[in-house]
């Protein structure tokens, strides 16, 4: 059976990357969609694992070739999701996690209305600022830009199917895990409520 498409968004510094690493280590059958970006790598980031790091020309060429399921400019850099990578993983029956911003989430909801969307929210603005600064990977200017964008991103929360507050890490990771597992058990129905398909293993 085709895997689920799972959109995960959060204001920068909320802890999304940290939670996703936990989830990837705990759950089988999950694939993380590795995005393309023009942002320079942070220390510890690996090309092909965290992102495909490309220059602007490479990004634009792929975009113009319709290689992206969605793409957006976020905090001054380009980011995009490879259409082929997502389709291949889903066809293998894996649930595909899309770590994308609110603009990308809007595009994927349009292109794939069956996608499930989850918003990870910070427990407070103060804590989010503390985490961004504490991460120690971004300049003061970059942090200020990301904080300024955070409130606008938060305004999109109502468009998501689920919201998980990342206060205590273990609790948040368990909640996200629960949502992903529940979606695997969900029946699929058409607009009239008639069943389309049953979860794997049910006949
Ligand atoms: P994002 O991917 O959302 O930008 P990160 O996963 O890089 O955020 O996390 C930002 C910082 O906050 C990191 O230093 C991380 O260790 C820390 N962090 C993440 N989750 C929590 C949490 N629940 N409590 C305290 N610190 C956290
Ligand atoms: P970062 O630079 O901190 O890794 O990511 C910045 C923002 O870009 C995050 O909100 C992240 O979800 C988003 N992002 C990462 N990859 C993609 C992508 O492929 N498409 C879109 N639209 N956003 C992305």
């Amino acid at each position: 059976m085709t895997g689920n498409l799972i959109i995960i968004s959060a204001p920068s510094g909320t802890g999304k990357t940290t939670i996703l690493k936990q989830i990837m280590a705990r759950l089988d059958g999950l694939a993380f969609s590795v995005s393309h970006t023009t942002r320079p790598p942070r220390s510890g980031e690996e090309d092909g694992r965290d992102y495909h790091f490309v220059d602007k020309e490479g990004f634009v060429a792929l975009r113009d070739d319709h290689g992206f399921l969605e793409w957006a400019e976020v905090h001054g850099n380009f980011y995009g999701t490879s259409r082929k990578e997502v389709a291949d993983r889903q066809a293998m029956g894996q649930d595909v996690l899309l770590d994308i911003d609110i603009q990308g989430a809007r595009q994927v909801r349009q292109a794939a209305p069956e996608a499930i969307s989850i918003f990870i929210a910070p427990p407070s603005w103060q804590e989010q600022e503390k985490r961004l600064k504490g991460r120690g990977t971004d300049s003061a200017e970059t942090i200020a830009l990301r904080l300024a964008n955070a409130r606008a991103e938060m305004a999109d929360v109502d468009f998501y199917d689920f919201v998980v507050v990342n206060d205590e890490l273990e609790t948040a990771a368990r909640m996200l895990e629960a949502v992903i597992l529940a979606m695997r058990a969900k029946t699929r129905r058409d607009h009239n409520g008639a069943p389309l398909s049953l979860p794997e293993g049910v006949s």
Side-chain angles (χ1 to χ4, degrees):
M1 199 162 73
T2 311
N4 290 317
L5 196 52
I6 303 170
I7 301 167
I8 314 229
S9 303
S12 185
T14 299
K16 180 179 50 175
T17 309
T18 309
I19 295 179
L20 291 186
K21 280 195 177 134
Q22 294 249 345
I23 293 295
M24 292 298 298
R26 289 182 197 193
L27 280 181
D28 287 335
L30 270 188
F32 178 76
S33 161
V34 180
S35 295
H36 288 67
T37 184
T38 58
R39 163 170 83 61
R42 295 188 182 122
S43 89
E45 283 185 334
E46 215 176 274
D47 187 39
R49 184 194 65 187
D50 300 289
Y51 281 104
H52 300 292
F53 294 101
V54 292
D55 58 17
K56 206 166 168 187
E57 289 69 37
F59 189 96
V60 168
L62 201 53
R63 182 195 67 187
D64 292 350
D65 202 26
H66 307 288
F68 293 130
L69 174 62
E70 64 73 36
W71 72 275
E73 184 173 349
V74 190
H75 314 310
N77 296 298
F78 287 158
Y79 295 82
T81 300
S82 159
R83 192 184 291 282
K84 184 176 184 315
E85 186 173 321
V86 169
D88 288 351
R89 297 298 194 148
Q90 277 192 283
M92 287 162 70
Q94 294 181 316
D95 288 347
V96 181
L97 292 181
L98 302 183
D99 170 350
I100 58 177
D101 86 316
I102 57 166
Q103 306 171 74
R106 285 187 204 151
Q107 294 171 47
V108 175
R109 276 192 211 101
Q110 284 243 311
E114 73 285 2
I116 298 141
S117 58
I118 305 164
F119 193 95
I120 303 179
S124 67
W125 296 123
Q126 292 92 321
E127 177 62 19
Q128 191 225 356
E129 182 169 358
K130 201 171 121 195
R131 288 182 192 171
L132 258 183
K133 289 181 173 161
R135 184 166 69 187
T137 53
D138 302 293
S139 66
E141 196 188 1
T142 299
I143 289 176
L145 177 65
R146 285 171 179 246
L147 285 172
N149 288 339
R151 284 170 203 255
E153 289 164 358
M154 195 70 191
D156 253 44
V157 66
D158 285 349
F159 296 109
Y160 287 72
D161 298 315
F162 298 92
V163 58
V164 171
V165 177
N166 181 22
D167 191 350
E168 204 270 312
L169 180 61
E170 175 58 21
T171 308
R174 278 180 49 212
M175 199 172 279
L176 184 59
E177 192 177 350
V179 171
I180 295 170
L181 288 175
M183 295 319 297
R184 288 183 183 173
K186 197 173 181 314
T187 56
R188 282 151 222 242
R189 289 168 188 280
D190 69 14
H191 295 302
N192 300 315
L196 285 173
S197 66
L198 288 169
E200 190 85 341
V202 182
S203 55

